[in-house]
Amino acid sequence: KIEEGNRNNLLFRYACKLCNAGVHYDFAAQLLTDFFGFNGLQQEEVLATTCNAYSKCCKLFGSERYKYGKKKG
């Protein structure tokens, strides 16, 4: 369970990471709605925060796509 005072900040950070990884908004919104809904946030709040994060991070969309899944060494 996520602490109540930290949920929106964490949601925003996760949404930005998904955007930077190149995950399309609709899929990210569904993932985050499922996860944060389970942790007590209303769907409208999750969608609004996800939309805000994607708007702020849109210039970086997909910029970290190859960062995830790379093997080190």
Side-chain angles (χ1 to χ4, degrees):
K1 195 100 170 142
I2 300 170
E3 292 179 29
E4 191 170 326
N6 200 30
R7 294 181 298 188
N8 281 329
N9 292 334
L10 189 60
L11 168 57
F12 187 87
R13 286 193 328 224
Y14 282 0
C16 286
K17 286 191 173 286
L18 289 170
C19 182
N20 294 348
V23 176
H24 289 275
Y25 173 81
D26 292 337
F27 187 64
Q30 184 62 53
L31 287 173
L32 295 169
T33 297
D34 290 347
F35 180 76
F36 283 92
F38 177 75
N39 283 284
L41 287 179
Q42 297 296 316
Q43 180 180 12
E44 296 79 18
E45 190 174 4
V46 174
L47 294 177
T49 302
T50 303
C51 184
N52 186 27
Y54 267 68
S55 293
K56 298 247 190 263
C57 298
C58 66
K59 290 182 180 178
L60 298 174
F61 181 81
S63 64
E64 296 183 5
R65 178 176 290 136
Y66 299 107
K67 178 179 176 182
Y68 303 100
K70 273 189 174 181
K71 293 183 180 178
K72 293 183 180 180

